[in-house]
Structure formats: C-alpha cells, structure tokens
Amino acid sequence: MKKRTHLYVGRKNVLTWLMALCMLGSAVTRMGIVGMKGTDSSPEVWSQIVLPIAAVLLYALICIFDGKEHFYKTAIPVWMSCFYFGILVSRLGWGRLTTGAFWICLLFFALMYTVLTSAATRRAWLLVPMILSLAASIAYMRTVGLFAVYPWLEKWALPDFLMLVGWLLMVLGLQVHPAGEYHPTWGDRSDGRRLRSQSPVDQVSPYIMVTRNSANNLFEDSIEISRIERYIRQKRKEGLTGFGINHVLLSSYVRGIAKYPALNRFVSGQKVYSRGEDIQYCMTVKKEMSVDSPDTVIKVHLNPHDTADQVYEKFNAAVAEVKNAPLDSSFDKVAHIFTMIPGVVLKFAVWLLKTLDYFGLVPQFLLEVSPFHGSVYFTSMGSLGIPPVFHHLYDFGNLPIFAAFGCKYHKTELDADGNPVDRKYVDVKFNVDERIVDGYYYAAFFRYFKRLLAHPEQLDLPPETVETDID
C-alpha cells in the first residue's frame, strides 16, 4: 500500500498559538460589530456572522486539541469559510459570470486544501501562495466592490483578514510525522483504519450482504483437552490460581491474530476496517453464579504480542473490577440511562446511534462501553453446564465474530493400536462475518488455532513475528 505523508501541528509550536490568537481575534471583532446596520435579517446573521465565527473557532480547536493526529479535519472549517466568502460575493450583483468564477475559485481552494492536508502529499507549502492569492482577491473585492456598495462593511474587513492570517500561520507551522508511520485520514474511524486495497468483489460484497446476520457463516469443532488440562494445572502451580480453559482459548485466539491479523477487521457503513493490534475482547459476566444475579459486560484490550500470562492478568483484572465494584459498570450505567427514555424517543435514539455509527461518528466513550463494538465475543456455556450454542451476531455495532464453548465431556475412542481410550473434549462454535475475510483465510486461521490448543505451552512465550494486516 502506498505510504502516506501525515501533516500535523503541535501545541508547543508558537505558530499554533499565534494562529489561535488570530482566530479568536476574528471571532471577537466580528461579534463586536454584530449590531451594525445591515445585519438585522436572520439569514444574513447566520451566513455572515454565525458561520464565519463557528469556522474560525472550530479551526482553532481542531489545531490545538486534535492537530497531532487529525489536522486534516481543519478542512471542514475551511469549507465553511469558503461558503461564507462565496455568499459575501454573491451580494455584490456583479453578474452571474463573475460571481460564478469567484465561487469556482473558492471551491478550488477548499478542495486543494483538503487534498494537500489529507496525509497524501508533502506539497502543503502550495497553500501559502493560494492563501495569499485568496487574501488579495478578498482585498480587491472589498475595496472595489463591497465598500462602494456598502460603506459600513469596511469595518468587517479586519475579521476576515485575521482569519486568513491564522490560516497562513498554521500552514507555515505544519510538520511531517516520521516516515513509515500511519496516521488517520479521511475515511478512517476512531476504532479502525479503512482498508483501501481490497479487490472489487470484496468492496462490493458489504453492499450486497448489508447486515452481519445476512453474511454469517457457522463453524463448529471439538477440541481434545488432555494437554490443555495439564497446561492449566501447571499454570495454577505457578501461581495463576484462577487460570482456566477460557484463558487458554482466548490466548490461542490472540496468538492466532498475530499470524492471521485480518481476523481483527470489521464492517461498518458498508466499508471494511482493521483494528490493527487492538484486539477488543468482550464477554458477559455475572457478579455471582446465581439465577437472580444480573449480567454485565466487560471489554478487555489485548495485543497480538501478549502471552498467556498477560492475557490472564488483563482478563482477570477486568472481571475483578466488575465483581468487586459496589456500583454498576460503565456499560450498566449507560444502559440505565437508555431505560429512562420513553419508548418512542428511545427508538429514535437508537436510530440516531446507528446513523452516527454508520458514518463513524459515535463518541469514543460510547464505543468503549459498547459490547456491540469489538473484535470477538466469547461466551462460556461450560460454566452453565450445557453445550455451546450458535450465538447470533449483532446487526448493531461492528462485532464480527461470536464464539461459544461448552462443558467438558468424555468420549471413548480407539487409539492407533485399536485399544479403547477415554478422552475429554470441549465443543466450540463460531459465528463469523464472511465479509471481513474469505473462507480460505478462516480455514487457515482455525487450523492454526487448533494446533495452538494442541500445544498450549507455546503461549508462554511471545510470538516470534507479528504480521500486520495492512502497511
């Protein structure tokens, strides 16, 4: 995949704060002349006051608080400002041809700003002459056109030029992240990086199979656990007293992603994304093993480099936090808020969340507590004493894989010499979204997953190599 240049601005850069000062000055001076003649009509207030003030403040906030990773988002307030200038020019009555030409220049500037700051090129310096040209055009427009028609508008020149000076300062303060690193750009989500190198068939399939439950495949297998049980006993002797089969299965899954990283993808908004090395494991737990005990959900952030001991520590820490907390978990608190909303309004709220999720706009704190957003969901039927079920995938959220394993059972089989032997098994069942990878990839992963379970001692050491899904 083509390497992309990532531009950013730092808070320690003096030009960043000079830009913010210019933007604040633009907003303050514009608000200071709100009461002037010609600003009484509501449409004019929105287009000539609210729009540019919102644009300059948004530009400054993005640069200061998010300029390190998402400077490209400053294109949004730049587009807002260009529309403001375009509406301003449309008031002159210069004729359709002249006004149309000015609109085209503004749109070209906004488009070039978007392209040059979207982590694709090192030619951001081209914005300097473009901003100076735009400033010259605005100066000509005001001195020759607007001031002659509307003399009172002369006082409005200062906010506009402070805005343009702020842009210029910020472009001069741009820096380039070290080569080889990837940083977010348009189309990425806060919880995943969009895949841009898929085959046409893979790109079209999410539009044909729109929901996860229309694109799911079911897989089941039986795992002989003699070695796993010996491994568990050994780990408990080493001090991991709560170590169990759930930790072995989860550690093997994490190690499998180290070799087959594409399983850590998800589909959202008919696009495929990769979580990279952030494996988000979700599981339902009970504070007490009783019928009346309420369920809650944990989410554990794992890494392909993790060993079995590290998985154990992270998993048990999350479970202990839920079981020992006197109050509800973050997930329970958010769910409780939704229960307080009337049914019709709740239906609208869920629709709104789905719409925001489609465009990747759900706030990060909601993604963190949501059990519907993650890499894999494990459920233990063994702790309930029943076989595993094929659990459905959720059409809300983006979780692509749901795994269940059941209770242990004995099975009499014949060994290589034809003698009957007693073996112990656990059944596992997976429900997977076939849009993230093809069947061959899934088959390779599950073969490797089963080999790891046959030799679980491999999980004590970090993987020799960790493959990357996309460069």
Side-chain angles (χ1 to χ4, degrees):
M1 187 172 181
K2 181 182 177 181
K3 298 289 185 182
R4 301 173 67 86
T5 299
H6 182 78
L7 302 172
Y8 75 97
V9 291
R11 293 185 190 178
K12 296 182 179 180
N13 192 332
V14 66
L15 293 178
T16 302
W17 295 102
L18 288 175
M19 174 278 303
L21 188 62
C22 287
M23 294 305 185
L24 182 61
S26 176
V28 170
T29 53
R30 196 179 299 276
M31 286 188 290
I33 50 179
V34 166
M36 294 194 60
K37 180 181 176 182
T39 61
D40 298 331
S41 64
S42 180
E44 193 168 290
V45 169
W46 283 101
S47 65
Q48 299 300 300
I49 299 173
V50 176
L51 181 62
I53 289 177
V56 295
L57 294 180
L58 182 59
Y59 191 96
L61 289 172
I62 291 175
C63 289
I64 293 174
F65 294 102
D66 209 17
K68 196 74 172 180
E69 287 294 327
H70 302 96
F71 177 78
Y72 64 91
K73 290 184 179 180
T74 56
I76 297 173
V78 167
W79 278 90
M80 294 167 61
S81 301
C82 288
F83 276 109
Y84 153 70
F85 285 126
I87 295 171
L88 195 63
V89 171
S90 300
R91 301 171 56 196
L92 288 174
W94 278 349
R96 294 182 178 179
L97 184 61
T98 304
T99 302
F102 201 89
W103 267 101
I104 291 174
C105 291
L106 287 171
L107 295 177
F108 176 76
F109 171 80
L111 181 62
M112 289 303 298
Y113 185 96
T114 305
V115 171
L116 293 173
T117 59
S118 63
T121 178
R122 290 177 178 265
R123 297 186 178 90
W125 59 268
L126 291 173
L127 289 172
V128 174
M130 292 178 65
I131 293 174
L132 293 176
S133 298
L134 180 61
S137 301
I138 299 298
Y140 174 81
M141 173 193 70
R142 287 195 173 281
T143 54
V144 177
L146 283 180
F147 293 167
V149 180
Y150 306 104
W152 57 271
L153 277 176
E154 185 173 359
K155 295 184 179 180
W156 290 80
L158 181 58
D160 290 347
F161 285 108
L162 282 174
M163 176 198 300
L164 293 169
V165 170
W167 287 356
L168 186 60
L169 289 171
M170 202 70 276
V171 171
L172 293 175
L174 283 177
Q175 297 174 273
V176 180
H177 268 297
E181 295 183 1
Y182 183 85
H183 298 270
T185 186
W186 296 110
D188 293 337
R189 292 168 51 103
S190 61
D191 55 348
R193 173 183 170 184
R194 182 180 168 187
L195 272 69
R196 297 175 172 84
S197 56
Q198 286 184 294
S199 68
V201 173
D202 291 334
Q203 293 183 48
V204 171
S205 63
Y207 289 90
I208 298 172
M209 297 176 286
V210 179
T211 64
R212 262 167 287 282
N213 281 307
S214 66
N216 68 327
N217 283 330
L218 306 178
F219 173 81
E220 64 177 331
D221 203 351
S222 297
I223 301 170
E224 206 280 321
I225 61 171
S226 298
R227 291 197 176 195
I228 293 177
E229 290 199 317
R230 289 197 295 270
Y231 178 69
I232 291 173
R233 289 193 293 270
Q234 179 60 37
K235 300 303 289 183
R236 290 178 178 177
K237 288 180 181 179
E238 295 173 2
L240 306 183
T241 55
F243 197 87
I245 191 169
N246 189 44
H247 300 100
V248 180
L249 292 171
L250 181 56
S251 299
S252 299
Y253 188 89
V254 170
R255 185 59 53 86
I257 289 182
K259 185 174 178 63
Y260 296 98
L263 250 72
N264 203 23
R265 296 175 179 176
F266 65 89
V267 177
S268 188
Q270 273 67 68
K271 302 291 188 297
V272 182
Y273 298 83
S274 171
R275 294 190 188 276
E277 294 190 352
D278 182 21
I279 304 172
Q280 299 183 11
Y281 164 69
C282 302
M283 186 177 187
T284 302
V285 297
K286 282 181 172 288
K287 288 195 173 184
E288 298 177 359
M289 292 306 293
S290 65
V291 176
D292 298 330
S293 178
D295 292 338
T296 189
V297 176
I298 62 170
K299 179 178 286 187
V300 185
H301 291 268
L302 302 171
N303 188 283
H305 297 270
D306 287 344
T307 63
D309 289 10
Q310 292 170 317
V311 170
Y312 170 84
E313 292 171 1
K314 293 179 181 180
F315 174 77
N316 280 26
V319 173
E321 182 180 356
V322 170
K323 290 190 174 182
N324 297 332
L327 302 176
D328 293 336
S329 67
S330 299
F331 165 73
D332 296 324
K333 292 175 183 176
V334 173
H336 180 68
I337 293 174
F338 279 101
T339 63
M340 300 170 65
I341 303 175
V344 176
V345 180
L346 177 59
K347 190 170 184 178
F348 170 77
V350 173
W351 172 85
L352 180 61
L353 278 175
K354 287 183 176 180
T355 303
L356 291 173
D357 194 31
Y358 186 93
F359 295 103
L361 299 176
V362 175
Q364 184 65 38
F365 78 93
L366 285 180
L367 293 176
E368 184 59 33
V369 301
S370 170
F372 311 107
H373 296 80
S375 302
V376 62
Y377 207 115
F378 269 28
T379 182
S380 171
M381 301 289 101
S383 60
L384 305 178
I386 61 174
V389 298
F390 282 116
H391 197 288
H392 64 88
L393 297 175
Y394 299 108
D395 285 331
F396 176 74
N398 56 35
L399 195 138
I401 297 175
F402 207 117
F405 61 95
C407 55
K408 304 172 186 177
Y409 64 92
H410 292 268
K411 189 175 181 181
T412 302
E413 298 178 331
L414 298 178
D415 62 14
D417 298 325
N419 300 315
V421 294
D422 182 71
R423 293 195 174 104
K424 192 181 289 186
Y425 283 87
V426 163
D427 291 336
V428 294
K429 294 186 177 182
F430 287 82
N431 193 338
V432 300
D433 186 344
E434 71 164 297
R435 298 171 298 176
I436 62 172
V437 295
D438 58 28
Y440 186 90
Y441 198 96
Y442 271 124
F445 170 82
F446 284 122
R447 286 195 301 268
Y448 183 64
F449 177 68
K450 198 167 183 179
R451 286 200 302 271
L452 288 170
L453 292 172
H455 303 280
E457 62 279 356
Q458 301 176 67
L459 305 173
D460 286 340
L461 298 174
E464 293 182 1
T465 58
V466 174
E467 302 293 336
T468 56
D469 187 8
I470 45 180
D471 296 325

